Amino acid sequence: MGNGKLEMENNLDKAIECYKKGEFQEAINIFSNILEHEDDNAEIYNNMGLCYTKLGNFEQAEKSYTKSIKLNPLIPQSYINLSDLYYKSGDLAGAIGVLERGSYEIEDNYVIAHLLARVYIEDSRYDMAITELEKILDAQPENYDAYYDMGRVMFELGNYEDAISNFENVIEYKEDNEFLYYYLAQAYEANNEIDKAISNYLKATAVNTKFAMPYKKLGVLFLAREDFEDAIEFFEDYIKLDVPDEEKNNVNELINRIKGKIAK
């Protein structure tokens, strides 16, 4: 190994160590020194972008990631980092544009495809999200995160049966997740399968006794059935948890009205 190559690798190790220590400007200085000798190193530009991001210098971070992509359009992390920069600044269109290019340049990268699907969902581009998620599931039929996101899309589109099917697929791979049970319960409730909705709201509370929303949902469903005792029980459990004072007062008033109805 030549002396120049060895020195470059030593400098790279130093820069990475500085990054790990949070010494981001020092890392940038070392990366800049490396670029004086290897100005076409796309990985170094990507690493510099990470440092600038940590320093809050988003303009320089954007330039570094963009330069990395220009030098080598086949580095997935450069697209991911640049899209994250746009996403966190609220520029969904910018994030989508970067991920779409990354998905085109690196066709079989399903991390980029999945990130693209999620930004599509946030931007309410549901048909485009479905296309990306179907591509992922064709290649990775046990990707429970993709099933979860497909369930979210189907729920937003009012296709509750498909939402239920996708959420149930996730449960095959990932049990004991209170949010999953909660979203599945919502889909069953929207599909007017109330017993299954109640069952999954109960599972959500069993997994996480501090998760407030299932308790309120259970109170509402039991109240609709005129099962007043159970409704009161879940409403009372709900207001013991971390909910705003105004909400506690409103639910307390509701509890008192239910108790008044029982007393008659």
Side-chain angles (χ1 to χ4, degrees), residues 93-214:
I96 286 169
V98 170
L99 291 169
E100 284 179 336
R101 181 181 171 188
S103 187
Y104 173 79
E105 296 283 1
I106 317 172
E107 187 175 350
D108 295 331
N109 189 290
Y110 298 109
V111 173
I112 291 177
H114 203 162
L115 288 172
L116 178 57
R118 286 179 166 172
V119 185
Y120 279 148
I121 292 170
E122 189 151 342
D123 204 37
S124 300
R125 304 188 196 186
Y126 297 127
D127 289 345
M128 299 174 83
I130 289 169
T131 298
E132 293 300 315
L133 291 169
E134 286 178 341
K135 178 173 74 174
I136 294 164
L137 289 170
D138 282 344
Q140 300 175 340
E142 295 186 0
N143 187 325
Y144 59 78
D145 285 330
Y147 282 118
Y148 171 79
D149 288 324
M150 187 72 86
R152 289 172 56 206
V153 172
M154 293 303 172
F155 185 89
E156 292 297 329
L157 292 173
N159 189 339
Y160 302 122
E161 289 187 3
D162 279 354
I164 289 165
S165 175
N166 280 283
F167 287 139
E168 292 281 11
N169 279 336
V170 182
I171 288 175
E172 289 186 23
Y173 305 109
K174 191 172 184 178
E175 296 181 354
D176 296 334
N177 183 294
E178 65 270 31
F179 296 103
L180 177 56
Y181 285 127
Y182 180 75
Y183 294 136
L184 179 57
Q186 281 190 308
Y188 275 125
E189 183 182 353
N191 207 43
N192 203 32
E193 297 181 68
I194 303 304
D195 287 340
K196 291 181 178 179
I198 288 172
S199 173
N200 281 282
Y201 285 133
L202 287 170
K203 288 175 183 177
T205 63
V207 172
N208 184 352
T209 58
K210 303 297 185 183
F211 185 23
M213 287 309 300

Side-chain angles (χ1 to χ4, degrees), residues 2-33:
N3 289 335
K5 185 72 171 176
L6 181 59
E7 182 181 358
M8 190 276 288
E9 291 192 357
N10 287 337
N11 284 336
L12 182 58
D13 289 340
K14 289 177 185 176
I16 292 171
E17 189 63 30
C18 286
Y19 180 88
K20 290 177 179 177
K21 291 178 179 178
E23 299 169 355
F24 304 118
Q25 187 58 56
E26 181 61 26
I28 289 169
N29 294 340
I30 298 171
F31 285 135
S32 298
N33 183 57

